[in-house]
């Protein structure tokens, strides 16, 4: 029997992978892919969760045009969150530190995280350069902190048929974050479940638009702006948002 693979990425390895780096970026998007609850092995070379995030990078670049946007990914040392260690969040903080060393110190950043990566993005959103978070089917256990999101933009996308992470927990987290001072909205996605493969174009488009808007580089349609600003639960549907894109009314998701 082959011994279990317990290898991890070297501690000294960079936590930042640059995907698009213009000479003078106006803002940055940092992608955080999904993982596991527990796992000390390093992500594999193939790293399918990481590859799934690549179309979101392209969508953010399209939505931000003509503004120059830096796009990077967080490189995890371990595949799992690993309980109180919170390894993915630790690597996200390392990536933000490295990004700070590479760019202007006040360059605004939006974090785009899926599943475990969404949890990590939400955890580290208190970094002073983080303008907001786009959380895709995020893992939001009960009791997750929300105070760090005060003054930040938060956009949550979730399919309520997701069997890996619970949309209900995402909506509860969104409500708590809004009460703590986040400027947040949720989009109920009709398809895609956890992997976001069905109707992937809608996931990509709405994520790219949300990231660009949180950075002040694009406007969002009225249904999403109204959800963020209104007194309700902060939710709208993907159908309402996409329908409004053909007849937009200027508005930005953000304070």
């Amino acid at each position: 029997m082959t011994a279990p693979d317990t290898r991890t990425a070297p501690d000294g390895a960079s936590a930042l992978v640059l995907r698009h780096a213009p000479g003078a970026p106006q803002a940055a998007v940092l992608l955080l892919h999904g993982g596991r609850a527990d796992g000390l092995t390093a992500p594999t070379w193939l790293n399918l969760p990481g590859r799934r995030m690549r179309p979101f990078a392209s969508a953010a670049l399209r939505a931000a045009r003509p503004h120059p946007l830096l796009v990077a990914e967080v490189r995890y040392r371990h595949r799992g969150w690993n309980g109180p260690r919170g390894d993915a969040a630790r690597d996200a903080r390392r990536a933000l530190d490295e990004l700070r060393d590479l760019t202007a110190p006040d360059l605004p950043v939006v974090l785009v995280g899926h599943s475990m990566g969404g949890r990590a993005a939400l955890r580290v959103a208190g970094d002073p350069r983080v303008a907001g978070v786009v959380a895709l089917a995020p893992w939001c256990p009960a009791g997750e902190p929300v105070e760090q999101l005060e003054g930040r933009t938060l956009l949550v996308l979730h399919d309520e048929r997701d069997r890996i992470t619970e949309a209900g927990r995402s909506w509860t987290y969104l409500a708590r974050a809004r009460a703590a001072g986040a400027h947040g909205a949720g989009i109920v996605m009709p398809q895609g479940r956890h992997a976001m493969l069905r109707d992937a174009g809608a996931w990509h488009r709405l994520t790219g638009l949300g990231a660009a808007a949180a950075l002040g580089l694009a406007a969002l349609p009225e249904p999403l702006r109204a959800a963020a600003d209104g007194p309700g639960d902060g939710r709208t549907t993907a159908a309402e948002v996409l329908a409004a894109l053909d007849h937009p009314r200027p508005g930005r998701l953000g304070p």
Side-chain angles (χ1 to χ4, degrees):
M1 179 180 295
T2 303
D5 185 356
T6 58
R7 294 172 296 172
T8 63
D11 286 341
S14 173
L16 191 69
V17 181
L18 294 177
R19 291 298 175 193
H20 182 77
Q26 189 171 337
V29 172
L30 187 58
L31 304 168
L32 300 91
H33 66 73
R36 301 176 176 179
D38 299 289
L40 292 174
T41 60
T44 65
W45 173 83
L46 185 59
N47 194 8
L48 291 177
R51 290 174 182 264
R52 178 66 190 92
M53 298 302 290
R54 305 287 172 81
F56 292 99
S58 299
L61 288 168
R62 286 193 298 271
R65 288 173 183 163
H67 307 284
L69 191 67
L70 182 149
V71 179
E73 299 172 7
V74 175
R75 177 188 282 126
Y76 300 143
R77 287 173 291 185
H78 310 282
R79 299 176 77 177
W81 181 268
N82 300 317
R85 291 169 52 123
D87 284 318
R90 292 168 62 192
D91 289 332
R93 291 189 184 97
R94 291 174 57 228
L96 283 168
D97 289 343
E98 291 183 34
L99 185 61
R100 184 180 296 109
D101 293 338
L102 288 175
T103 62
D106 58 348
L107 188 78
V109 181
V110 160
L111 308 175
V112 177
H114 173 231
S115 192
M116 181 187 77
R119 184 181 183 184
L122 294 166
R123 276 283 186 99
V124 304
D127 184 285
R129 290 205 308 172
V130 172
V133 176
V134 181
L136 309 171
W139 177 22
C140 295
E144 278 291 290
V146 295
E147 295 78 11
Q148 72 280 7
L149 288 161
E150 181 180 3
R152 270 64 174 184
T153 292
L154 172 60
L155 181 63
V156 180
L157 285 71
H158 216 139
D159 176 357
E160 295 187 329
R161 295 178 299 169
D162 189 336
R163 296 181 179 178
I164 306 299
T165 57
E166 297 179 32
R169 289 186 180 268
S170 288
W171 309 141
T172 297
Y173 185 94
L174 173 65
R176 292 175 56 229
R178 282 161 57 89
H183 194 257
I187 302 180
V188 181
M189 303 298 293
Q191 298 187 89
R193 302 206 179 190
H194 195 66
M196 310 174 294
L197 294 175
R198 294 194 66 180
D199 206 13
W203 286 85
H204 301 156
R205 186 182 185 190
L206 293 171
T207 298
L209 193 59
L215 292 166
L217 305 180
L220 286 185
E222 176 63 20
L224 193 52
R225 187 202 62 76
D229 292 340
D233 61 12
R235 280 183 274 167
T236 185
T237 67
E240 290 174 322
V241 178
L242 292 169
L245 285 173
D246 292 332
H247 304 283
R249 293 172 57 185
R252 181 169 62 178
L253 181 63

